Amino acid sequence: MAFKQITSPHAHAAQNTAKVMQLVLWSTIPGLLALSWHFGWGALINILLATITAVLSEALIIKLRKRSVRFYLSDYSAVVTAVLLGLALPPLCPWWVVVTGSLFSIVIAKQLFGGLGYNPFNPAMVGYVVLLISFPVQMTTWVTPLALLPEGISHPDIIESFRIVLGVSIPVDGVTGATPLDSFKYALGLTADQIYQQDPLFSRAKFASVGWEWVNLGFLVGGIIMLASRLFTWHGPVAMLATLALLSVIFWDGGSSQSPGSPLMHLLSGASMMGAFFILTDPVSSAVSNRGRLVYGALIGFLVYIIRAWGNYPDAVAFAVLLANFSAPLIDNYTLPRTYGHTDRRRATEKVED
Amino acid sequence: MRKTWLTPGGVHPPENKQQSLTQPIGELPIPDRLVVPLSQHIGAPSIACVKVGDCVLKGQKIADSAGSVSVAVHAPTSGTITAIEARPVAHSSGMTAPCIEISNDGLDQWIASEGIADFEHTSPSALLSVITEAGIAGMGGAGFPTAVKLNPGFQRPIDTLIINATECEPYITADDALIRERAEEIIEGVRILSHILGNPSNILIGIEDNKPEAIAALRPHIQDTGISLVSFPTKYPSGGEKQLIYILTGKELPSGQIPADIGTVCVNIGTIYAIKRAVVDAQPLISRVTTVTGKACAINRNYNVLIGTAVSHLLQHNNFDQQACSRVVMGGPMMGFSLTSEDVPIVKTSNCILAPIYQEIPEDEPAQPCIRCGMCAEVCPASLLPQQLFWYSQAKDHDRLQAHNLFDCIECGACSYVCPSNIPLVQYYRNSKGEIKTAQQEKVKSDHARERFEFHKQRIEQAEQEREAKRAARREAAKQAKSTTAGSGSAADIVAAAQARAAAKKLNPEQQQAKLERAVASAEMRTQKAQEKLDSATANNDTEEKLNVFSAALTAAQQKLDQAKARLAEHK
Ligand code: SF4
Ligand code: SF4
């Protein structure tokens, strides 16, 4: 009697890529809830639009590439990209912004490079940066946090939100405004302390800035869930946050008018936590070894800080991540782990003598 | 408590060990026919020393060890030799190999022999030859001749003897069962080893903490023996030789070296038991403990199985349900290989037969793209980057593979085990290792060929130079001759002299014929020799490559013979 020839190992852990991706999706919920609570329905609508676009375009491309649509869609990676993009985009931004970004992420940044696993850049961040450069106005208009809405005005309800997104309605005055990192950056001539006291975005916050701090804490919770389920190691996120904190302490400068802002503000504003746990942990485009991920995370923290402090853009996670994606192969070359039985670590590009 | 060291990586697959430990080690009825392969160890295959039709007794030697890295083979029961030929054997490629078949005479009669009770007063070298003659090769997996391992030579003094009782693979309980039931004999085996190795200062039994019964069984026997029993947390693959050495001593085995290079010898439990049996009881290695497990077998337990028993015999006696079975694995679920036929025999290294049902070990799912999640790198006990190895293996980038230390991969399968994309990583590594080795051999071959070619060219050039020199000398001589004989001799004289010289060189017809006859005779002999070589190679089942070489040599010899004959005929 003949049996099939199957190679070892025969046992397999219950983990699979779809489950990994699903867990990432579940982990975005605390952050998403905070976003929706403080900024209204916009984030959910973004996610919805981005996901529909991403899944349809991914299916189309897979079909064009003559692969099994069902098999490749079932890894959920397109949904993850779309959700992350949706979370990063300003709530209530026009529908075509979301659709363009999502299309760009999936078609150009992912599938043109060969699909999942082959993309050198984080697809969601490519989409985001393209939008930021092409549509700066739409991309820097944020919804005012719930706590700072003028008397008698509330966030538009879900129907109204859709109408705004589709362009048939425009938001009431006061519903949109600047982000804390923006306000801080463009409040010239004031010392940091003055800004913190005068701008209600800061003065009415608990830790850093109204609304934003909770969104960041939400993503932090999601990140801890993923860490605890060993979806990734601590190296990247911790290196990034530590570098960001360290630099903001060094340059805090006692809160003078030159100060780029307090450490808490940097850690809990903008996309800091989302970047640390959801973006730079994208394994495909990051460095591969644990040491490599330490360097990679630190590089992102460093870039985020210098762009925020001295660059032209108020937030910088997307740029920092893309720049670090560029350097990942270089980092990998110098950070191979030391193999059992070897005294030294080797270079990835080392030539073999034989 | 002795200190232990923590290895990087590792996984905790479900152990599945309890089901085969509910009953003691069992015996099976002896099958009608036993098929004993001649090569169950690493090294030269043993050489059969019996003929078809011979009657043999249980324990009688049926094949001699061939050279220094080889062991003997014995009859597992008494009976008649009914075949010596190639049969399917347990190998991952499903190949055939020379085997001796014995038909059981139903008497199971032992050959008379006497053991060495007082091994402490026997020289290590005598004990080593007992071990080789008893056919003992590492029973943990590789099957390296044990006597060779125990004899590392003067330049490598051994200070640490490690007994590998880890048995870290899921499902397998052969060593565990053996320790529970035969702890005393095992410790006696350890003492024999210690004596052979000149009483090394550290004797460590390494065992995972999931075997409390085995630990309790060993404890009373190691009192005042200087043997330390070291238990450590269960983790796969702690039982890998390199991993175990590190766990117990904190020393890493440098890449490409063997344990003896760092003063260590590692032996597994089954082997130690076999050594005790061979030395004290004069019983050669003709049986081993094998775990039969997996839900496709109604009974899961350990058996003392005669070497040469067909796997099908084991399965049948455990009510094997073939319909439900997803695959039959020899070895464990992490490193074992699946059998393509259940007719292959149990050999000295077969520690487990695993017959799982589909729910236990389902069919492999199709591989998805690598998402570079790094889970594989987290669990790699050798601190490699499996995802990079996979990448370069796909790209066949041999330089990068070697820079990433592919050859330090122990093929433990931990990386494939955790890979969420179901990529058969180990398979890629095996292929790449094979490719690189082949490429290196090719390179050596082509280097040789180049050297030969260059040497040849050089010789031709040299010959050409010599000829040129001779020509120059002759020209010179002729010039001189001309000048001296100008006057006295004529050109005609020179021609006549040359003709005479040529005639002198030419043989007379009889001599010529004798020479041609000699050529025919020697060509005939060469043809005959080539034929013999080819025949013996065919009988030995040599590789196709070799057979091709020999048959080419034969054809060439035949052509020469024909030419010589033709020339002789012409002359006549
Ligand atoms: S575990 Fe699998 S998917 Fe993850 S990096 Fe390793 S090979 Fe790639
Ligand atoms: S099979 Fe090789 S690469 Fe994979 S975990 Fe084991 S040693 Fe590491």
mmCIF file of all heavy atoms in Angstrom, chain A residues 31-48:
data_model
loop_
_atom_site.group_PDB
_atom_site.id
_atom_site.type_symbol
_atom_site.label_atom_id
_atom_site.label_comp_id
_atom_site.label_asym_id
_atom_site.label_seq_id
_atom_site.Cartn_x
_atom_site.Cartn_y
_atom_site.Cartn_z
ATOM 1 N N GLY A 31 -8.972 51.977 19.920
ATOM 2 C CA GLY A 31 -8.617 53.239 19.279
ATOM 3 C C GLY A 31 -9.779 53.788 18.460
ATOM 4 O O GLY A 31 -10.085 54.983 18.498
ATOM 5 N N LEU A 32 -10.444 52.891 17.750
ATOM 6 C CA LEU A 32 -11.562 53.309 16.905
ATOM 7 C C LEU A 32 -12.696 53.882 17.757
ATOM 8 O O LEU A 32 -13.310 54.895 17.418
ATOM 9 C CB LEU A 32 -12.049 52.116 16.080
ATOM 10 C CG LEU A 32 -13.298 52.360 15.246
ATOM 11 C CD1 LEU A 32 -13.054 53.444 14.219
ATOM 12 C CD2 LEU A 32 -13.746 51.071 14.553
ATOM 13 N N LEU A 33 -12.964 53.214 18.886
ATOM 14 C CA LEU A 33 -14.008 53.697 19.774
ATOM 15 C C LEU A 33 -13.686 55.097 20.263
ATOM 16 O O LEU A 33 -14.535 55.995 20.235
ATOM 17 C CB LEU A 33 -14.172 52.746 20.969
ATOM 18 C CG LEU A 33 -14.908 51.445 20.684
ATOM 19 C CD1 LEU A 33 -15.031 50.606 21.952
ATOM 20 C CD2 LEU A 33 -16.288 51.734 20.097
ATOM 21 N N ALA A 34 -12.430 55.305 20.675
ATOM 22 C CA ALA A 34 -12.035 56.623 21.166
ATOM 23 C C ALA A 34 -12.182 57.661 20.060
ATOM 24 O O ALA A 34 -12.691 58.768 20.275
ATOM 25 C CB ALA A 34 -10.600 56.577 21.678
ATOM 26 N N LEU A 35 -11.741 57.277 18.859
ATOM 27 C CA LEU A 35 -11.864 58.198 17.726
ATOM 28 C C LEU A 35 -13.317 58.581 17.495
ATOM 29 O O LEU A 35 -13.651 59.746 17.299
ATOM 30 C CB LEU A 35 -11.332 57.515 16.460
ATOM 31 C CG LEU A 35 -9.966 57.930 15.913
ATOM 32 C CD1 LEU A 35 -9.637 57.111 14.683
ATOM 33 C CD2 LEU A 35 -9.924 59.421 15.598
ATOM 34 N N SER A 36 -14.194 57.577 17.507
ATOM 35 C CA SER A 36 -15.598 57.838 17.212
ATOM 36 C C SER A 36 -16.243 58.653 18.324
ATOM 37 O O SER A 36 -17.065 59.521 18.075
ATOM 38 C CB SER A 36 -16.356 56.521 17.027
ATOM 39 O OG SER A 36 -15.729 55.766 16.025
ATOM 40 N N TRP A 37 -15.889 58.360 19.541
ATOM 41 C CA TRP A 37 -16.454 59.091 20.670
ATOM 42 C C TRP A 37 -16.082 60.568 20.577
ATOM 43 O O TRP A 37 -16.928 61.444 20.708
ATOM 44 C CB TRP A 37 -15.958 58.486 21.981
ATOM 45 C CG TRP A 37 -16.405 59.249 23.176
ATOM 46 C CD1 TRP A 37 -15.701 60.183 23.863
ATOM 47 C CD2 TRP A 37 -17.689 59.177 23.814
ATOM 48 N NE1 TRP A 37 -16.426 60.696 24.885
ATOM 49 C CE2 TRP A 37 -17.678 60.090 24.876
ATOM 50 C CE3 TRP A 37 -18.862 58.413 23.566
ATOM 51 C CZ2 TRP A 37 -18.761 60.276 25.716
ATOM 52 C CZ3 TRP A 37 -19.930 58.593 24.404
ATOM 53 C CH2 TRP A 37 -19.894 59.517 25.466
ATOM 54 N N HIS A 38 -14.802 60.813 20.328
ATOM 55 C CA HIS A 38 -14.332 62.194 20.371
ATOM 56 C C HIS A 38 -14.488 62.935 19.057
ATOM 57 O O HIS A 38 -14.519 64.161 19.048
ATOM 58 C CB HIS A 38 -12.865 62.241 20.816
ATOM 59 C CG HIS A 38 -12.690 61.860 22.246
ATOM 60 N ND1 HIS A 38 -12.975 62.707 23.289
ATOM 61 C CD2 HIS A 38 -12.312 60.682 22.826
ATOM 62 C CE1 HIS A 38 -12.755 62.089 24.439
ATOM 63 N NE2 HIS A 38 -12.356 60.863 24.180
ATOM 64 N N PHE A 39 -14.558 62.202 17.945
ATOM 65 C CA PHE A 39 -14.568 62.909 16.662
ATOM 66 C C PHE A 39 -15.747 62.528 15.769
ATOM 67 O O PHE A 39 -15.770 62.854 14.597
ATOM 68 C CB PHE A 39 -13.253 62.695 15.912
ATOM 69 C CG PHE A 39 -12.047 63.193 16.674
ATOM 70 C CD1 PHE A 39 -11.314 62.335 17.471
ATOM 71 C CD2 PHE A 39 -11.673 64.537 16.605
ATOM 72 C CE1 PHE A 39 -10.218 62.797 18.180
ATOM 73 C CE2 PHE A 39 -10.576 64.987 17.322
ATOM 74 C CZ PHE A 39 -9.843 64.121 18.112
ATOM 75 N N GLY A 40 -16.670 61.780 16.277
ATOM 76 C CA GLY A 40 -17.870 61.486 15.499
ATOM 77 C C GLY A 40 -17.752 60.283 14.577
ATOM 78 O O GLY A 40 -16.823 59.481 14.684
ATOM 79 N N TRP A 41 -18.703 60.203 13.646
ATOM 80 C CA TRP A 41 -18.859 59.018 12.792
ATOM 81 C C TRP A 41 -17.831 58.944 11.672
ATOM 82 O O TRP A 41 -17.742 57.939 10.960
ATOM 83 C CB TRP A 41 -20.251 58.996 12.162
ATOM 84 C CG TRP A 41 -21.344 58.788 13.156
ATOM 85 C CD1 TRP A 41 -22.145 59.728 13.714
ATOM 86 C CD2 TRP A 41 -21.732 57.532 13.718
ATOM 87 N NE1 TRP A 41 -23.012 59.162 14.610
ATOM 88 C CE2 TRP A 41 -22.791 57.808 14.630
ATOM 89 C CE3 TRP A 41 -21.298 56.221 13.560
ATOM 90 C CZ2 TRP A 41 -23.409 56.812 15.371
ATOM 91 C CZ3 TRP A 41 -21.926 55.219 14.291
ATOM 92 C CH2 TRP A 41 -22.965 55.522 15.186
ATOM 93 N N GLY A 42 -17.090 60.013 11.469
ATOM 94 C CA GLY A 42 -16.207 60.094 10.310
ATOM 95 C C GLY A 42 -15.242 58.925 10.165
ATOM 96 O O GLY A 42 -15.062 58.385 9.070
ATOM 97 N N ALA A 43 -14.657 58.504 11.269
ATOM 98 C CA ALA A 43 -13.649 57.443 11.189
ATOM 99 C C ALA A 43 -14.273 56.158 10.663
ATOM 100 O O ALA A 43 -13.705 55.473 9.795
ATOM 101 C CB ALA A 43 -13.022 57.219 12.557
ATOM 102 N N LEU A 44 -15.461 55.841 11.173
ATOM 103 C CA LEU A 44 -16.131 54.610 10.729
ATOM 104 C C LEU A 44 -16.440 54.664 9.230
ATOM 105 O O LEU A 44 -16.271 53.686 8.508
ATOM 106 C CB LEU A 44 -17.423 54.419 11.505
ATOM 107 C CG LEU A 44 -17.325 53.475 12.695
ATOM 108 C CD1 LEU A 44 -18.659 53.413 13.426
ATOM 109 C CD2 LEU A 44 -16.904 52.081 12.229
ATOM 110 N N ILE A 45 -16.902 55.858 8.793
ATOM 111 C CA ILE A 45 -17.224 55.994 7.373
ATOM 112 C C ILE A 45 -15.953 55.833 6.531
ATOM 113 O O ILE A 45 -15.951 55.149 5.506
ATOM 114 C CB ILE A 45 -17.909 57.349 7.102
ATOM 115 C CG1 ILE A 45 -19.247 57.370 7.848
ATOM 116 C CG2 ILE A 45 -18.105 57.579 5.613
ATOM 117 C CD1 ILE A 45 -19.949 58.703 7.816
ATOM 118 N N ASN A 46 -14.858 56.436 7.013
ATOM 119 C CA ASN A 46 -13.574 56.263 6.314
ATOM 120 C C ASN A 46 -13.236 54.788 6.152
ATOM 121 O O ASN A 46 -12.835 54.322 5.084
ATOM 122 C CB ASN A 46 -12.434 56.900 7.114
ATOM 123 C CG ASN A 46 -12.406 58.407 6.937
ATOM 124 O OD1 ASN A 46 -13.080 58.927 6.061
ATOM 125 N ND2 ASN A 46 -11.629 59.081 7.773
ATOM 126 N N ILE A 47 -13.366 54.083 7.264
ATOM 127 C CA ILE A 47 -12.993 52.665 7.256
ATOM 128 C C ILE A 47 -13.862 51.896 6.274
ATOM 129 O O ILE A 47 -13.371 51.082 5.487
ATOM 130 C CB ILE A 47 -13.110 52.073 8.673
ATOM 131 C CG1 ILE A 47 -11.983 52.644 9.539
ATOM 132 C CG2 ILE A 47 -13.063 50.565 8.644
ATOM 133 C CD1 ILE A 47 -12.013 52.186 10.966
ATOM 134 N N LEU A 48 -15.153 52.208 6.314
ATOM 135 C CA LEU A 48 -16.082 51.512 5.431
ATOM 136 C C LEU A 48 -15.700 51.733 3.964
ATOM 137 O O LEU A 48 -15.544 50.783 3.186
ATOM 138 C CB LEU A 48 -17.489 52.029 5.707
ATOM 139 C CG LEU A 48 -18.606 51.214 5.087
ATOM 140 C CD1 LEU A 48 -18.739 49.896 5.832
ATOM 141 C CD2 LEU A 48 -19.925 51.986 5.146
#
